[in-house]
Amino acid sequence: MRFIIEVLLTGLAVFLAALVLPDSAVSVAGFGWAIVAGLIISFVNATVGTVLRFFTLPLNLLTLGLISFIITVLMVQLTSYFMGSKFEVANFWWAAVFAIVVAIIQLILNSIFGSKERD
């Protein structure tokens, strides 16, 4: 049940971020496609992103996590490539802004809808 809630919240964050940013920068075909985009971003980040983070660990430590953020932005662009016209991000810089906006929206949504861990 928790996984379904997380997927819906991620989809909502992607959808709201696409609404906040200009259509020329980020576009999503609808809430259903936003959920799919959120799933693909999570999957690509968990697989390809993890491998990239492992190989760039020393550089990531030197840049205090900036490389990890760049990898996340690249995973957003990879998702845009996979999804075609259903989820599009114009370029690297808009993908970076999108990643920041999604992170902020997820922080807000998780503080509102997130469940407390039981001891």
Side-chain angles (χ1 to χ4, degrees):
M1 184 65 166
R2 182 74 185 149
F3 175 73
I4 294 170
I5 293 171
E6 288 294 326
V7 168
L8 291 175
L9 289 178
T10 301
L12 182 59
V14 168
F15 187 71
L16 291 175
L19 286 178
V20 169
L21 297 174
D23 285 339
S24 60
V26 177
S27 67
V28 65
F31 182 67
W33 288 109
I35 292 173
V36 172
L39 275 172
I40 293 175
I41 290 170
S42 299
F43 176 74
V44 170
N45 232 345
T47 56
V48 177
T50 301
V51 171
L52 289 175
R53 283 180 187 85
F54 176 76
F55 286 116
T56 60
L57 182 63
L59 189 57
N60 202 6
L61 292 173
L62 286 174
T63 61
L64 302 175
L66 181 63
I67 297 299
S68 188
F69 175 70
I70 291 172
I71 289 171
T72 299
V73 171
L74 292 173
M75 298 305 105
V76 169
Q77 285 191 297
L78 187 62
T79 301
S80 174
Y81 174 77
F82 284 148
M83 291 190 65
S85 66
K86 302 299 181 190
F87 173 74
E88 290 181 308
V89 179
N91 55 37
F92 178 84
W93 300 110
W94 281 116
V97 171
F98 176 79
I100 291 169
V101 171
V102 166
I104 292 169
I105 292 171
Q106 281 184 319
L107 181 69
I108 293 167
L109 291 175
N110 284 334
S111 69
I112 294 170
F113 298 110
S115 66
K116 305 239 185 234
E117 295 293 326
R118 296 183 186 224
D119 294 329

